[in-house]
Amino acid sequence: MADRPYIVGNWKMNGTRAMLSEARAIDRAAQRYMKAEVAVAPPYTLIHAVHREAEQIGIGAQDCHADVDGAHTGDISAAMVADAGAKFVILGHSERRADHKESNAQINAKIGHALEAGLRIILCCGETLATREKGDAEAFVLKQLKASLPKIEDAAERLTVAYEPVWAIGTGKTATPKDIAAMHKAIRGLLDETYGPEVSAEVRILYGGSVKPENAKEILSIPEVGGALVGGASLSSESFLGIVVAASETEEA
Ligand code: PEP
């Protein structure tokens, strides 16, 4: 699991069928950069179509509902995204926490259903600028994770953590290498405590927040950075593949 950097594109609320050509281009090129594991999370409406196009890359969903089924107009369950072809789901993204007031309890319920549906999880965490400026970033992120890390034996196969400082998402700002290294080290410590060092070593910790081809190599070379969760730069195959190339060229790769 942990031997290859994991580069995941989060398309957010972007993409119609016209974007399928980008998915195809990413998939074809990913076959040349096997040192990196590549995946995209398109909007729900494209999961099935991207799944049918893709031979090499992983396909995931950006969220799922906290219930298995029922009267939730407009919502989508974990089993539905799995049925459409998703192999993983991103949960706890800061945009979901902010826009939909998602609580840790809801995120935990989503994690449970997603695991039951056979999905892998990318669990997001990250502090706001105000929290960082108060000097509370590490304590905040560890508290967020402690509340949501699933108690599972197969965390090595099923779990990825994404550290995404909220103030770095979509802003063009990135955390300093020193701050990224310190946060990833702290997260690794918590994963060691939770799952034991052997299993923890297999759980990749991604960095997310304005990762682009120009800064990817530096970020991906930071100790404990096992890949990147990429928003804006994943929307064109050219920029996303620039990150994939950087990942396949980093020394850890
Ligand atoms: C994200 O939303 O997960 C993200 C990292 O976005 P961006 O790369 O655009 O900052």
Side-chain angles (χ1 to χ4, degrees), residues 12-248:
K12 310 193 184 193
M13 198 174 72
N14 296 291
T16 58
R17 282 180 296 160
M19 275 281 277
L20 290 176
S21 58
E22 296 301 298
R24 214 172 296 128
I26 292 166
D27 188 65
R28 301 298 174 267
Q31 308 191 15
R32 295 200 300 276
Y33 302 105
M34 298 292 283
K35 282 185 178 175
E37 184 178 345
V38 181
V40 295
Y44 292 133
T45 48
L46 290 181
I47 290 174
H48 189 59
V50 174
H51 164 70
R52 284 169 51 150
E53 292 283 338
E55 288 171 13
Q56 182 60 41
I57 60 174
I59 312 299
Q62 300 168 19
D63 187 46
C64 64
H65 197 268
D67 282 345
V68 176
D69 54 23
H72 301 292
T73 302
D75 283 320
I76 307 278
S77 72
M80 289 170 179
V81 298
D83 184 54
K87 296 287 181 277
F88 68 90
V89 59
I90 299 170
L91 292 173
H93 192 282
S94 63
E95 287 156 12
R96 301 284 320 170
R97 293 181 194 257
D99 298 354
H100 301 271
K101 309 282 172 279
E102 278 189 11
S103 64
N104 286 327
Q106 279 170 314
I107 293 165
N108 291 348
K110 292 178 182 206
I111 290 172
H113 295 313
L115 291 170
E116 276 163 28
L119 296 167
R120 285 162 61 188
I121 309 291
I122 298 181
L123 174 60
C124 300
C125 57
E127 80 287 354
T128 61
L129 190 56
T131 303
R132 174 155 289 276
E133 284 173 349
K134 269 196 276 162
D136 292 342
E138 205 171 293
F140 179 88
V141 165
L142 294 185
K143 194 170 165 205
Q144 248 182 355
L145 283 176
K146 275 183 195 158
S148 297
L149 284 175
K151 310 277 175 287
I152 48 173
E153 282 174 11
D154 53 355
E157 290 82 38
R158 310 287 300 275
L159 180 69
T160 300
V161 172
Y163 167 56
E164 302 202 295
V166 177
W167 49 272
I169 295 179
T171 58
K173 295 179 188 157
T174 47
T176 64
K178 194 165 157 249
D179 288 343
I180 297 173
M183 186 64 82
H184 281 233
K185 188 171 174 222
I187 294 172
R188 178 65 65 205
L190 177 62
L191 294 173
D192 287 351
E193 265 172 46
T194 310
Y195 301 110
E198 247 174 66
V199 172
S200 161
E202 299 294 313
V203 177
R204 283 173 293 200
I205 308 170
L206 313 184
Y207 174 78
S210 300
V211 177
K212 341 181 231 299
E214 302 76 42
N215 60 19
K217 208 162 183 177
E218 183 183 22
I219 291 170
L220 293 167
S221 306
I222 297 169
E224 297 294 0
V225 173
L229 183 53
V230 183
S234 71
L235 295 177
S236 94
S237 53
E238 194 187 346
S239 57
F240 190 57
L241 289 169
I243 297 169
V244 172
V245 170
S248 65

